[in-house]
Amino acid sequence: MPKNENNELNNTPTKNNALKKNQTKERTSKEGSKREILVVKDLKKYFPMGSAWIEKNKSYVKAVDGVSFSITEGKTLGVVGESGCGKTTLGRTILRLYSITGGSVMYDGIDIRQLSRRELTKLRPKIQIIFQDPYSSLSPRMTIGEIIGEAVREHKIVPPEEFRDYIASVMESCGLPSYYYSRYPHEFSGGQRQRVCIARALALKPDLIVCDEPVSALDVSIQAQIINLLVELQKKFGITYIFISHDLSVVEYISDEIMVMYLGSVVEQGYREHIFDNPMHPYTEALLSAIPIPDPEAKKTRIILEGDIPSPANPPKGCKFHTRCSKCMEICKTVNPVFKEYEEGHGVACHLYPQE
């Protein structure tokens, strides 16, 4: 990995409060002219358990439980949390790869939940996904050109006579030489396969791409290259990302805003500098303490969470995190905290702060 990429990915300068306020003001003024491309309100996705015929006797896994957020056009929202917190389910529910149990998903003023199958098919090119595993998400029987161009031909993105040249140009944008067109996925490394997955999504000219842990299956030496490619494509085409990951150092590098999830719910959300410089929720503090520091002489206090994450089929009463929280109070065991914004662009759901 080039030295400058490694430094960019691991080293982020610490910002003081004055600089943080100025960045917030600049961001607000710049985003004032841009639209909110996606608005999610109280989104829920419950999976039924067992085979009970009577509705009231059914039990559910609450994979996504009342999530709300919005994304400004051309920006990146990082979604972080432990495995099993509902990150991937959130992304797939937004795309309606999973049916929506409750709430709404508004894409550019269109309620995705209310669309018919035909209407949803027409909307698909605008909202794409990059899957986590580049090895299983590509058909071994299709060439690279066929994989990238299959949906392009289906949705008639370009005229037939321009098809081959268009696919070649998309491949070049993703760092894939045009002579790869007739090769098969088994001939490529993991990093090259993920570039093919990115090219497949980019070929449909999307406005929004859900990146479901796109670098977690790759070697560390390749991760920075893929992340930098995503950043370059965003600058070039104005794409909006929902970037799902458990690696906070990667999320810090690519995200404008960060949303922390725990057991299907949002516990903290804010601008990147707010989350990393002033984490408010104990869970966020624990996640940040686990980020490795490249300096071998640097000392860092690690916050160890006790116990395992509770089952989403039977979440604890009150605050879902109280069973593992070192700052737990009596009210946390019975009353679910309300998510509230305590500074511009920075909100948290925790009883450590005043609740109305």
Side-chain angles (χ1 to χ4, degrees):
M1 176 167 43
K3 185 176 181 180
N4 62 333
E5 288 185 354
N6 188 35
N7 290 339
E8 285 179 354
L9 191 61
N10 291 296
N11 297 331
T12 301
T14 303
K15 309 171 184 66
N16 57 35
N17 291 334
L19 178 59
K20 187 194 303 181
K21 291 180 180 179
N22 289 336
Q23 287 179 330
T24 302
K25 290 180 181 178
E26 289 176 5
R27 182 187 288 107
T28 302
S29 62
K30 289 179 181 178
E31 293 179 2
S33 60
K34 292 188 176 182
R35 75 187 195 277
E36 289 184 334
I37 193 170
L38 185 74
V39 179
V40 176
K41 292 184 179 179
D42 198 28
L43 183 63
K44 297 177 182 179
K45 176 55 187 175
Y46 297 168
F47 294 98
M49 296 177 62
S51 57
W53 289 95
I54 303 176
E55 184 66 28
K56 67 178 182 179
N57 292 337
K58 287 184 179 180
S59 58
Y60 295 88
V61 175
K62 298 180 178 180
V64 178
D65 192 16
V67 172
S68 300
F69 65 89
S70 62
I71 312 177
T72 304
E73 180 184 19
K75 297 297 181 180
T76 300
L77 172 68
V79 183
V80 300
E82 292 173 287
S83 296
C85 72
K87 305 186 300 296
T88 295
T89 303
L90 173 66
R92 297 190 177 199
T93 305
I94 289 171
L95 292 167
R96 242 181 80 177
L97 298 179
Y98 293 148
S99 60
I100 299 173
T101 303
S104 64
V105 179
M106 303 293 293
Y107 165 75
D108 201 16
I110 301 171
D111 190 348
I112 292 179
R113 187 182 182 186
Q114 302 300 327
L115 296 180
S116 65
R117 180 171 295 183
R118 179 176 295 181
E119 292 170 333
L120 186 61
T121 300
K122 291 182 180 180
L123 186 65
R124 287 290 186 205
K126 294 298 181 181
I127 311 177
Q128 287 294 298
I129 184 170
I130 301 170
F131 294 102
Q132 176 178 355
D133 187 3
Y135 294 92
S136 62
S137 59
L138 300 177
S139 172
R141 299 184 179 182
M142 299 173 67
T143 65
I144 299 304
E146 291 171 341
I147 290 171
I148 297 173
E150 181 182 23
V152 173
R153 185 179 283 113
E154 177 69 23
H155 292 281
K156 300 177 181 179
I157 302 298
V158 294
E161 61 273 14
E162 299 177 12
F163 178 81
R164 182 74 181 242
D165 291 338
Y166 176 71
I167 298 302
S169 67
V170 172
M171 292 174 63
E172 293 286 351
S173 296
C174 297
L176 297 167
S178 57
Y179 59 81
Y180 284 178
Y181 187 96
S182 57
R183 295 188 181 181
Y184 289 87
H186 73 268
E187 301 179 54
F188 298 99
S189 65
Q192 290 173 318
R193 292 188 193 192
Q194 197 60 288
R195 288 177 184 269
V196 174
C197 295
I198 294 171
R200 177 174 59 184
L202 183 67
L204 293 173
K205 301 179 181 180
D207 294 327
L208 173 67
I209 297 180
V210 176
C211 305
D212 184 12
E213 303 203 36
V215 297
S216 64
L218 306 178
D219 294 339
V220 175
S221 59
I222 306 300
Q223 289 184 5
Q225 298 176 22
I226 298 300
I227 293 298
N228 287 333
L229 172 62
L230 291 172
V231 172
E232 290 170 8
L233 293 175
Q234 185 176 53
K235 292 179 180 178
K236 184 176 181 180
F237 299 106
I239 303 170
T240 306
Y241 293 136
I242 297 177
F243 192 89
I244 299 169
S245 180
H246 61 269
D247 190 337
L248 281 164
S249 60
V250 173
V251 170
E252 180 182 17
Y253 180 73
I254 194 173
S255 301
D256 298 292
E257 294 186 44
I258 296 173
M259 185 169 72
V260 183
M261 289 187 65
Y262 183 81
L263 215 61
S265 301
V266 178
V267 297
E268 186 168 1
Q269 182 178 354
Y271 296 127
R272 175 183 57 197
E273 56 269 17
H274 288 161
I275 298 296
F276 279 86
D277 294 347
N278 181 33
M280 297 178 70
H281 199 280
Y283 181 60
T284 308
E285 293 176 352
L287 292 179
L288 293 176
S289 73
I291 300 176
I293 300 176
D295 184 0
E297 297 182 358
K299 294 183 179 180
K300 190 173 185 179
T301 303
R302 176 73 186 273
I303 301 174
I304 306 297
L305 295 178
E306 297 180 358
D308 297 323
I309 185 170
S311 169
N314 186 26
K317 294 182 180 179
C319 176
K320 295 179 180 179
F321 185 63
H322 85 261
T323 58
R324 306 174 70 193
C325 182
S326 60
K327 301 178 181 179
C328 176
M329 302 177 290
E330 283 301 318
I331 191 174
C332 302
K333 300 177 182 179
T334 55
V335 180
N336 190 28
V338 177
F339 186 90
K340 183 180 177 182
E341 191 175 87
Y342 291 91
E343 60 179 325
E344 185 178 359
H346 190 187
V348 65
C350 184
H351 287 297
L352 293 174
Y353 308 94
Q355 297 259 307
E356 292 182 359

